[in-house]
């Protein structure tokens, strides 16, 4: 979090640091949340600032404390050609399985994806591919306290996914009216 906050608070550092920009696909909210959590883990593993470029997620979620994750300020601050020339699009949609071997086999994601801006398009939960990579899976498990098998998503999501107050209030109102016993 300190790394992220330091970079995002000093625009002069934006030209020289690396970013992972998660862009949602036009899929269901569950798919978007699963791929958001996966992209966040990948940003950590590749030592990148994590940014989100998604109108719907910005309307529903607030970033965790200290994590300014909106891509807009970076996109508005740097010249378009700077970003374009230093970008790689990682397409992890279900129709495109070509990148999954690199996720499963790369010893170092920073070397596997060396460009300054890594744009991740995904409608998939690709965290298991990162976990099954023998070089990086143990690191990821260690960061989140080796949660129960199969619950790394939950361990990350509890830290990352925070609904906006208005949404949380609406959910609690529905719960109180219809489900509280």
């Amino acid at each position: 979090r300190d790394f992220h906050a330091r970079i995002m608070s000093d625009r002069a550092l934006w030209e020289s640091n690396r970013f992972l920009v998660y862009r949602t696909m036009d899929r269901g909210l569950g798919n978007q949340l699963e791929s958001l959590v996966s992209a966040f883990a990948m940003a950590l593993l590749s030592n990148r600032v994590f940014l989100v470029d998604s109108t719907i997620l910005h309307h529903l979620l607030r970033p965790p404390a200290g994590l300014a994750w909106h891509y807009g300020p970076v996109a508005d601050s740097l010249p378009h050609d700077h970003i374009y020339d230093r970008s790689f699009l990682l397409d992890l949609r279900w129709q495109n399985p070509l990148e999954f071997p690199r996720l499963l086999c790369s010893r170092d994601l920073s070397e596997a994806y060396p460009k300054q801006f890594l744009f991740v398009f995904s409608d998939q939960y690709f965290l298991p591919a990162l976990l099954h990579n023998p070089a990086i899976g143990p690191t990821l498990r260690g960061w989140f306290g080796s949660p129960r098998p199969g619950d790394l998503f939950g361990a990350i999501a509890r830290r990352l996914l925070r609904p906006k107050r208005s949404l949380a209030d609406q959910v609690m109102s529905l719960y109180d009216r219809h489900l509280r016993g």
Side-chain angles (χ1 to χ4, degrees), residues 19-24 31-53 57 67 69 90 92 103 109 118-128 130 140 143-144 153 156 160-161:
F19 299 87
L20 185 146
V21 181
Y22 169 68
R23 286 192 168 159
T24 58
N31 290 54
Q32 292 180 37
L33 296 177
E34 286 181 334
S35 56
L36 173 78
V37 166
S38 301
F40 176 73
M42 186 172 183
L44 292 175
L45 288 165
S46 60
N47 200 32
R48 292 175 179 274
V49 173
F50 179 66
L51 300 175
V52 177
D53 187 18
L57 292 180
L67 190 69
W69 69 10
L90 179 57
L92 294 174
L103 291 178
L109 293 177
L118 178 60
F119 287 88
V120 175
F121 270 167
S122 180
D123 59 0
Q124 294 295 302
Y125 180 48
F126 62 92
L127 186 59
L130 299 172
L140 192 54
W143 285 341
F144 292 95
F153 173 83
I156 297 172
L160 186 65
L161 305 180

Side-chain angles (χ1 to χ4, degrees), residues 2 5 9-10 17 38-39 74 83 99 101 120 122 125 130 132 144 149 151-152 164 169 171 174:
D2 294 337
S9 67
D10 185 352
N17 279 278
S38 301
V74 174
I83 294 172
E99 282 296 327
V120 175
S122 180
Y125 180 48
L130 299 172
H132 283 90
F144 292 95
D151 193 33
L152 188 60
K164 291 217 170 168
D169 290 346
V171 169
L174 285 169

Side-chain angles (χ1 to χ4, degrees), residues 96-116:
N96 184 26
L98 300 176
E99 282 296 327
F100 282 90
R102 194 176 339 187
L103 291 178
L104 286 164
C105 300
S106 295
R107 296 191 60 73
D108 183 340
L109 293 177
S110 296
E111 290 177 11
Y113 303 102
K115 295 278 192 164
Q116 181 184 9

Side-chain angles (χ1 to χ4, degrees), residues 164-177:
K164 291 217 170 168
R165 175 56 48 202
S166 59
L167 177 62
D169 290 346
Q170 291 175 7
V171 169
M172 287 310 298
S173 175
L174 285 169
Y175 176 80
D176 288 342
R177 283 190 310 224

Side-chain angles (χ1 to χ4, degrees), residues 64-77:
L67 190 69
W69 69 10
H70 293 271
Y71 171 62
V74 174
D76 293 341
S77 177

